Each structure stands twice: as structure tokens, then as C-alpha cells.
Amino acid sequence: MNVIGKVTVLPQLPPSIARLSELAYNLYWSWTPHAQALYEELDAPNWERFQHNPVRQLLEVPQARLEQAAADPAYLARYAKVMADFDAYLGKKDTWAAKNAADMKPVAYFSMEYAFHESLPIYSGGLGVLAGDHCKSASDLGIPFTAVGMLFHQGYFRQLFDKDGWQNEAYDELDLTTLPITPALTEKGEEARVKVRIGERDVHVRIWNLNVGRIKVLLLDTNVPENSEDDRKLTARLYGGNQELRVQQYVLLGVAGIRALRVLNVPGDVYHMNEGHAALLGLERTREYVARGLDFKTALETVASSTLFTTHTPVAAGNDAFAYDLMDRYIGAWPAQLATSRDELYRLAEHEQMWDGHPVPTFSMTVFALNMSRAANGVSELHGEVSRDMWKFLYPGAETEEVPIGHVTNGAHNLTFTSQAMRDLLSTVLPADWTERLEDEQMWEAVEGLTDQQLQDVQRDMKRDMITFVRGRMREQMLRNGASAADVAATDTLLDENTLTIGFARRFATYKRATLLFRDKARLSRIVNHPERPVQFVFAGKAHPADNPGKSFIQEIYKISQEPEFRGKIVILENYDMHVARHLVQGVDIWLNNPRRPLEASGTSGMKASFNGSPNLSILDGWWREGFDGTNGWPIGEEREYADLNVQDDADAFSMYHTLETDITPRYYGGLSGQPTWASTVRRAIQTVSPRFSMQRQVIDYVQKYYRPIAERGAKLASSNSTRAREIAAWKGWVRQQWPYTTLTAQAQLPATAHPGQSVPVTAQVNPAGINLDELRVEAVLNRGGHLTRVPLVSRGGGTYSAEIPLKDSGLYSVGVRMLPVIDGLSNDLEAGLIKWA
């Protein structure tokens, strides 16, 4: 057919159900199963066919079916209840923020990807789910919050396994008219557009608006007629293409993202960069201040003071770094716009790395993000520790634990991932407003009131739903790959609802060790085929299109699943997405996670399983290191690192098998005398994980630890035309100039041995080289077993300092003396990046 044009015929909804269209354009429905049911009831097969997309569903439902639903009293009653709840949600005044953070300033949140729902496939995995959940809970809590991202027309990719289990990628062009998005409009009612200079050409960007409860998400789109064919493809695929494409996408996200906020007059007092992809927003924000008359360094201080950076990966390959000549091609004009030099700008991102056996200075997005912000965090306690060690080279002379990178442990949006059946059960023991108090640990103690039978019944129903889903997916895959009639028929008996079922689903990066379970296949076979206590496994996950080792892991699992002793008992599903994830976290009995410690920054899938009562069997890495309490699941291995990776894999696999054989399977199938019952473990998983790892707790942590303090400090530095920022910038310049000429000597009268409570005298002499002595902190640093104690020395005049240093506990102490420059208004003691040790 020669297409000369397209037209979308919108449904004519009967007046009694007219607001179905309004609801379809607010992702509130994505975490409200009763709302989704209104659309599913209209045409269940189409609901599945169109990835549970209410906008598409309404476009496809025949008018007669709409009229029929509008005349059905039962349907109208359900519709009225959903719409009343929706209105109450949107109109709620006494939100958490209103009661606890009434002075909260608006936050602008930037992320490369967002996972809100499978019908909007602009995400690849955990980072996107985290960002989407962050937005949902910001809405739930009533925080002034706007998110910025990209509208990828082909999303990530649809994963297809061939008959040999090898991953293939398919990219589907999204039909924007069927997505729950609308063109963003300026105050004049015009479609919002911005323009960005990338290299030697202007790229035009259209802005789309996505409603997520009470907040808005702005999505950037270059697929407009004004652009060249290549530029229209800049927002085609997430994480596709080469480094050149990624740099251009990062310019779009950062620079066009800020301009989108401006053209729509959206306020932002705090700017939150979710991973280094968004770091280039610092360019545009700095340019704005320079254009108002500030010098580069003052503008930089002003911008950084109101910026937060969240790093998500402890894996070096996950931190983008680019060659300088590549950056020159795409941001070469920026130094002039910022009234600075190329060297000065690139120094803010410099990370020397070994490329092809040679040290090469690279433009690191993570280093740039750290230098363009004055607050940074990892996403779990352990990840914070790992990040401080990874980036300590940026703070010469500092000890690892002092590096100013904190942590906020990730959470997950409970209502998105908790099944309706489990929500209904929880509502029988939790207070009426429990969904608004998810972070309240004391409230969750009421879960103890759930009986063993209640839990078993609900979890059995969820498992049946999952098994039905798995069988359907496997049947589709078999038919597509031309499987025999016998193999297709065998999908009807995949998995058994009475068998202990373990789920493993995540990105198939090699450090996540998806194949660790198969390290001793003979032992695994005995576990899987135990006559009284069998076990079955469901796997899912995508490898990056360029990650052949990850694809090999998928293929290995697929091939093992076809071996006689594992057939029907080990299953790997294709096309892992939010839909698959929900079925698995709601349906399995146990969630398995076995990354190579300490490379898992956080992980969140296991949290979602525990929301539904599935305990974790996991490495003590990421969130599980904090979540495991001895009663709510099981650890794999020990809390240690290994020099030999093979030894680590052997030890962790042995631990996994041993725990399955001696504790988990006996407990599941009837219990061990004197040991906790299965139901008690399920209760503890729900009770402990649901509040501590709720996204509401996470966002509240961000508000209290970062958003409010950053907004306050940012306002101070920006007030009076950035007077304080100018003073700090000038002071840093002066101090850095003089620092090489300062000297510090010190003496400590240390006995060979001492007793707890004894003190030792320490003295120091400083030559400040013109720096005000009041702006120098001289301190003794005691290192005992890796823990630092800092004791300030007191100025005695004339550059002499001294103090009696207490030795409070027994142990081996290392004692040092150092000085560092500090003034009021710094974000942390190491902000100047200068330390001198005696």
C-alpha cells in the first residue's frame, strides 16, 4: 500500500464512562490494578496484544462494546470507585510533603531512561525502573518534582531467542498516537520546541508531556521534520549505536533538558542527575549564569551548589569516558560560551585511563558530574563505600572514608510490584491508609496477624498465574521457532505449582553470574529432582546487544534447560520487561541473586519479590547486605572479597547448594524441628523489606539528606547575584595558587605503649604562605583498624598548633597531622580538594 497519510480516529466514549480517556493519559493506572481492569474488561485479548496500554485499548475497542460497558451497572460501579480514588489521589492536600516538608523547593530530575510500564518501552533495566519508581513515589509523597528524559521511538529492544537459545534483537517503531503522552504546550498554547547546537548544526527538539500521578515527566524527541535523517535518529534507540551517538544523546539530555524546563517555565531549585548520562546539564546551567554576567568560576560554584549526582555503578565499564577529540566535535564551542578555556573545562572531567596500553586523559561523565555537583551518593551502603574508594583520586591526600560520596539505599515502588491479591490480603491487617505510610516499619508489624493458610492461599494463586503466563510465553516462542508438535504440547506441563520455585531475572551482565547455579550440574540435578523436595527455576533477562559473553550465558541456560534431567524444571523466558518482572516477583517462592561481590550497586528485584512474600537467597551485596537480618531470607557466601575469582565462584556455588539442601527445601516442604516455619519466613520478608526498601522511604531519604539542604545552600550561594559563590570561587583560586608554597611540620611524643584513656601531645608548625590562618584547619588524624578519628589542633599563635590527643580504646594507632583549607559555606571539608600532610 502506498501510504499518503495517517489519521487517528478517537473513540467516542459514552458520557457515563467518558473519563476513561483522561485516566488513560495519567500513569496512575500503572500502579492501580483495579484501574487497569477497567480497560482489560473491554477486550482482554487486545489488552494483552497491546502491552496493557489503555490509550491503544480505547482506540481499538468497538463503539458497541463501549456502549455495552456503559450500560453495565457492575462495570459502572467499578468505574465510579476507580475514578473517585483517582480524584482523591490527585486532590489530596495533606500529603507527606505538606505535613513534613512544607518548605520543599522544586526538584528537576534527569535520567536517561524511565521504566513506568511495559507499554512505554523507554527503559533497559534497573536504572530505568529505579527512575520510574522515584517519580511515582515523588508523586505519592506530594513533592514538587519534574522529571526530564528522552522519548526513544524504538525504545530499547525486543528480545527473541532463536531455536538454539541465542539472543536476537528486534526494534519496533512506537506509534506515538497510541502512547499516554501529549505535546507539551507553552503558556501561549504553542507546542514546546527547543534547539540545541551539536557540533556544527542545530538540532530541533520537540517536548512531550507525560503525567505520572501528580507530577510531570518531560520527554525529548528529535524525530521532527526540521531535522536531518541522522538527527531524527538521535532519539531512536536507548543505548544503541556507538560512542559518537552517546555523546550527542548526552548533550540532548543535559542541554535540551534544561532548555525544555525553561521554555515551559518549570521551576527547579535542586537539579538531580541520575547517573552520569545527565552530567552535561551543567554546561547549560553554567552558560545561563555566564550570560547574566557571572564569570565562569562563580557560575560553576552557583550551579554546583544546587546539584546532586547519584552514581549507580561500581563497574568501571559502566562509567562513560570519551576521547577529547570526540568531545571536541560535539561540545567544542562550549568553552567560548562559558567564558573559559578548553583546558579548564575539560579538567573538570579529566580521568586518565589506560587505553591500548597507554595512559590517556579522557572526558569522564562521572568525574564531570562529581565536579559539577556539591553532593553525591551511591545507591546502597556498600556501594557508597565502593564509590568512595573508586573516586578518591579526585581528593588527593584524603582517606577513603572521607571522600564526600554518601549513600541512599534504593527502594522500589511497592504498589507497582505488589499483586492485587497480596494488597487485598495486607489490607485485612494494615490500617486503612497503609499505602500512604509504606515507610512506617512499626505499622508493618501487623503482618504477624496473617495466618499461614492466608499466606499460602494467596501465594498459591499468584504462582498459578505465573505458571500460566510462563507456559503461554514458552508456547509462543516454540511456535515461532518451528518446534515439533510434541515440544509445543510439552509447554502445557512446564513447572508444577506444588514445587518450590526460584526466580532469577535481571540484566545479563557477566558480573551478575547468571550461570553460577550450574557450576556443579550433578549436584544441581539432585536438588532439582529430589523425590520428596524438588526445586524448579525460572530465568529471564536481557544482555546488551554488544555483550556476546552475556548472550552466551543466556544460551548456556537455554541449552541446559533442554537437557533431560532439567527439562520442564528450568525455564528461561525471552523478552524480559516490566510485565515479565511483575509475574515473576509475584509468583516465585524465592528470589535468587548472585552477583560477584562487591559489584552489585544495589539491585531492587529482590525487594519486589519480598513485597509479595518471597524471601531472598542472595549474595550479601547491594541492598541485601542491609536487608538480610537472619530471619527474612538467606545469604549466599560470606561478606568478603576474593583475590581469585574461581575460588569465589566455587565458594558461593557451594554455599548456594548447601543452603538449598539443608535449610530452604526442608523448611518449604514441612519444616525442621525447632526451626522457623516457611510462613514465618514469608511474614518476616514482607514485614522487614516492605517499609525499609519502599521507594517512599528512599525518596524521603533524598528529601531529608539532600534535596532540602541542597536547596538551602544553593539559595545562599545564588543570592545577591551569586555574591557568596563569587567569594568562594575567588577564595579557592587564591588558596590553590598559594598552596604549593605552604609548609607543615609536626611532632608527636608517642610512647611505645599506652593505656586506654591516656593522651599524647602533638604539635605542628605552619607556614601559611599568605593564607589566613583562620582558614586553615590543622588536625591530628588517628587511624585505628581503618577507622579515622580527627582531632583539631588549637592555634597557639605564630603558626604553632598543639593538642593532647586521647587514645580512647586499645589497639594499634597510626597518627598523622595534616592541614586543609576551609571557610564557611563549603559543602564539605574536602571541597577545595587540597590536603597537606606533615
Side-chain angles (χ1 to χ4, degrees):
M1 175 178 176
N2 185 22
V3 178
I4 62 170
K6 291 184 178 182
V7 61
T8 300
V9 180
L10 298 174
Q12 188 65 43
L13 290 168
S16 58
I17 56 172
R19 295 185 66 201
L20 282 177
S21 181
E22 174 192 345
L23 178 61
Y25 282 90
N26 189 311
L27 291 189
Y28 167 86
W29 57 258
S30 71
W31 66 88
T32 311
H34 288 316
Q36 295 168 36
L38 292 177
Y39 301 100
E40 181 179 11
E41 288 180 55
L42 296 174
D43 188 333
N46 267 356
W47 180 249
E48 290 299 321
R49 179 183 169 199
F50 298 127
Q51 291 79 48
H52 320 105
N53 177 352
V55 175
R56 182 68 183 272
Q57 181 78 326
L58 292 180
L59 287 171
E60 299 290 341
V61 174
Q63 191 68 35
R65 177 68 187 102
L66 294 174
E67 299 291 349
Q68 183 184 28
D72 180 352
Y75 186 89
L76 290 176
R78 291 190 293 275
Y79 168 83
K81 177 67 168 65
V82 167
M83 296 311 303
D85 290 345
F86 180 47
D87 289 340
Y89 179 87
L90 293 183
K92 187 176 178 60
K93 302 300 182 187
D94 58 336
T95 61
W96 178 90
K99 292 184 284 190
N100 298 280
D103 60 345
M104 178 80 189
K105 301 299 183 185
V107 176
Y109 179 89
F110 284 65
S111 182
M112 191 71 172
E113 55 173 300
Y114 292 91
F116 296 112
H117 188 259
E118 60 269 18
S119 62
L120 188 62
I122 55 172
Y123 62 94
S124 70
L127 179 72
V129 176
L130 188 282
D133 283 6
H134 195 117
C135 293
K136 292 174 183 177
S137 283
S139 168
D140 293 340
L141 294 166
I143 292 170
F145 188 94
T146 303
V148 180
M150 309 267 273
L151 181 61
F152 295 103
H153 285 250
Q154 296 176 8
Y156 194 37
F157 65 87
R158 184 160 48 88
Q159 178 195 49
L160 301 169
F161 295 162
D162 65 20
K163 59 184 177 58
D164 297 317
W166 187 256
Q167 170 183 299
N168 292 283
E169 297 85 32
Y171 291 89
D172 302 317
E173 189 74 23
L174 299 178
D175 183 348
L176 303 192
T177 65
T178 67
L179 297 180
I181 57 175
T182 54
L185 303 178
T186 66
E187 292 177 346
K188 295 180 179 179
E190 301 168 343
E191 283 196 13
R193 299 288 183 100
V194 295
K195 190 168 59 175
V196 180
R197 190 82 173 165
I198 298 181
E200 298 301 318
R201 81 266 186 207
D202 288 330
V203 176
H204 299 266
V205 183
R206 174 169 48 191
I207 306 162
W208 295 90
N209 180 69
L210 175 69
N211 294 318
V212 181
R214 303 180 180 107
I215 73 158
K216 292 187 181 299
V217 181
L218 306 180
L219 297 175
L220 310 174
D221 171 19
T222 65
N223 190 18
V224 295
E226 301 95 306
N227 288 331
S228 68
E229 193 62 33
D230 285 343
D231 286 345
R232 294 181 74 155
K233 293 177 182 176
L234 289 177
T235 54
R237 297 180 182 180
L238 171 63
Y239 305 141
N242 54 23
Q243 285 205 318
E244 295 219 16
L245 176 63
R246 292 187 78 144
V247 171
Q248 294 174 82
Q249 289 180 331
Y250 297 167
V251 173
L252 277 173
L253 177 62
V255 178
I258 293 294
R259 293 180 183 175
L261 292 173
R262 303 296 184 254
V263 76
L264 293 168
N265 201 26
V266 176
D269 286 48
V270 175
Y271 292 80
H272 186 172
M273 301 182 291
N274 188 46
E275 194 48 275
H277 313 133
L280 297 183
L281 69 83
L283 293 177
E284 175 64 5
R285 290 193 64 214
T286 304
R287 185 200 63 78
E288 291 176 328
Y289 282 107
V290 169
R292 294 178 205 169
L294 298 186
D295 64 275
F296 172 69
K297 291 182 178 178
T298 301
L300 170 61
E301 292 298 334
T302 307
V303 167
S305 68
S306 57
T307 304
L308 168 66
F309 169 56
T310 298
T311 177
H312 284 266
T313 176
V315 182
N319 293 274
D320 284 314
F322 303 104
Y324 280 2
D325 60 346
L326 176 60
M327 298 305 295
D328 288 343
R329 284 204 288 280
Y330 297 111
I331 66 167
W334 278 89
Q337 295 184 62
L338 302 178
T340 188
S341 67
R342 173 187 183 270
D343 288 348
E344 188 168 30
L345 179 62
Y346 283 24
R347 204 156 34 239
L348 294 169
E350 184 175 352
H351 185 188
E352 189 171 274
Q353 302 194 55
M354 294 299 293
W355 283 5
D356 296 328
H358 303 287
V360 176
T362 66
F363 191 104
S364 163
M365 300 298 286
T366 302
V367 172
F368 193 62
L370 287 167
N371 282 320
M372 294 300 292
S373 59
R374 292 293 176 262
N377 70 283
V379 291
S380 71
E381 183 179 50
L382 180 58
H383 180 230
E385 295 173 14
V386 172
S387 297
R388 287 189 286 277
D389 188 59
M390 277 185 77
W391 305 108
K392 66 182 178 183
F393 69 88
L394 297 174
Y395 305 90
E399 298 296 318
T400 298
E401 75 173 51
E402 301 177 289
V403 171
I405 300 176
H407 82 277
V408 171
T409 300
N410 279 348
H413 190 252
N414 303 59
L415 300 186
T416 293
F417 295 98
T418 307
S419 76
Q420 186 63 55
M422 181 59 75
R423 286 160 68 164
D424 291 343
L425 179 60
L426 293 172
S427 294
T428 65
V429 294
L430 295 178
D433 63 346
W434 69 272
T435 60
E436 298 170 26
R437 298 165 51 194
L438 293 166
E439 77 287 354
D440 184 345
E441 294 188 32
Q442 187 174 355
M443 178 192 76
W444 285 92
E445 292 175 6
V447 168
E448 288 296 329
L450 296 174
T451 68
D452 293 10
Q453 192 63 49
Q454 285 176 307
L455 288 167
Q456 182 178 323
D457 289 347
V458 166
Q459 290 195 295
R460 180 61 56 84
D461 287 345
M462 292 192 294
K463 184 189 279 189
R464 285 174 180 151
D465 287 345
M466 181 199 71
I467 289 174
T468 299
F469 172 76
V470 168
R471 290 172 177 175
R473 278 296 181 96
M474 291 302 296
R475 181 181 178 84
E476 289 176 15
Q477 181 181 322
M478 291 282 191
L479 289 170
R480 192 188 69 248
N481 285 324
S484 68
D487 284 345
V488 173
T491 61
D492 292 337
T493 57
L494 278 178
L495 307 180
D496 173 65
E497 68 178 54
N498 298 306
T499 296
L500 173 64
T501 305
I502 299 177
F504 178 105
R506 57 194 30 84
R507 186 165 54 90
F508 263 59
T510 51
Y511 75 86
K512 293 179 183 283
R513 298 191 300 182
T515 57
L516 185 68
L517 178 68
F518 307 102
R519 198 159 182 87
D520 185 341
K521 284 172 61 178
R523 189 170 182 182
L524 176 63
S525 179
R526 292 194 296 271
I527 293 170
V528 165
N529 296 297
H530 193 285
E532 287 91 35
R533 301 192 295 267
V535 183
Q536 58 195 10
F537 294 84
V538 182
F539 286 82
K542 290 179 175 179
H544 186 279
D547 182 8
N548 282 333
K551 291 183 182 181
S552 294
F553 276 14
I554 291 172
Q555 186 175 52
E556 181 181 346
I557 296 172
Y558 178 83
K559 288 184 174 180
I560 290 171
S561 75
Q562 302 303 304
E563 295 176 4
E565 66 267 41
F566 298 119
R567 196 173 181 87
K569 299 163 188 176
I570 290 176
V571 176
I572 182 165
L573 295 177
E574 65 182 7
N575 203 32
Y576 181 49
D577 64 1
M578 290 188 74
H579 185 45
V580 174
R582 280 197 307 276
H583 277 287
L584 296 192
V585 299
Q586 292 170 9
V588 299
D589 298 305
I590 287 179
W591 197 258
L592 175 65
N593 189 26
N594 44 247
R596 177 167 284 118
R597 190 180 190 275
L599 300 182
E600 180 85 303
S602 172
T604 59
S605 55
M607 303 171 186
K608 301 157 192 169
S610 284
F611 295 166
N612 290 283
S614 301
N616 277 255
L617 170 63
S618 296
I619 297 287
L620 291 169
D621 195 7
W623 79 277
W624 188 236
R625 177 181 182 246
E626 301 166 53
F628 172 64
D629 71 357
T631 69
N632 59 356
W634 298 268
I636 296 173
E638 300 174 336
E639 196 171 350
R640 54 168 286 197
E641 276 75 63
Y642 292 78
D644 187 316
L645 300 185
N646 272 316
V647 172
Q648 182 179 13
D649 291 350
D650 283 339
D652 289 343
F654 177 86
S655 170
M656 187 193 316
Y657 298 139
H658 181 75
T659 302
L660 279 168
E661 292 165 333
T662 62
D663 189 343
I664 292 176
T665 54
R667 191 181 303 194
Y668 180 81
Y669 284 103
L672 296 167
S673 177
Q675 294 295 313
T677 65
W678 184 259
S680 69
T681 309
V682 169
R683 271 190 289 271
R684 287 293 296 166
I686 297 170
Q687 187 178 337
T688 58
V689 175
S690 297
R692 288 186 59 198
F693 299 97
S694 67
M695 181 56 70
Q696 285 192 197
R697 187 275 310 153
Q698 179 200 304
V699 176
I700 289 170
D701 281 355
Y702 272 109
V703 170
Q704 295 174 338
K705 293 175 67 173
Y706 291 107
Y707 291 165
R708 294 178 79 183
I710 287 171
E712 182 179 353
R713 181 171 181 269
K716 287 180 180 176
L717 264 67
S719 65
S720 302
N721 197 30
S722 295
T723 297
R724 188 57 183 152
R726 184 176 292 103
E727 292 168 353
I728 289 174
W731 174 81
K732 284 182 180 177
W734 161 250
V735 167
R736 287 168 179 160
Q737 175 184 308
Q738 298 303 111
W739 196 249
Y741 308 109
T742 62
T743 60
L744 171 69
T745 58
Q747 304 80 37
Q749 298 178 22
L750 302 177
T753 60
H755 301 291
Q758 193 172 333
S759 61
V760 295
V762 174
T763 60
Q765 295 76 43
V766 171
N767 167 23
I771 299 173
N772 190 329
L773 286 173
D774 292 339
E775 296 171 352
L776 292 174
R777 175 177 297 161
V778 183
E779 59 189 17
V781 180
L782 282 68
N783 187 329
R784 176 181 175 271
H787 179 68
L788 302 184
T789 302
R790 298 159 61 177
V791 180
L793 303 187
V794 178
S795 175
R796 307 301 179 185
T800 299
Y801 294 77
S802 67
E804 291 287 324
I805 308 301
L807 305 173
K808 295 181 179 179
D809 300 304
S810 60
L812 177 62
Y813 286 84
S814 298
V815 181
V817 174
R818 69 183 185 184
M819 68 177 180
L820 55 162
V822 292
I823 56 170
D824 289 340
L826 297 184
S827 59
N828 63 79
D829 290 347
L830 303 186
E831 186 179 314
L834 301 171
I835 296 176
K836 184 160 288 187
W837 291 87

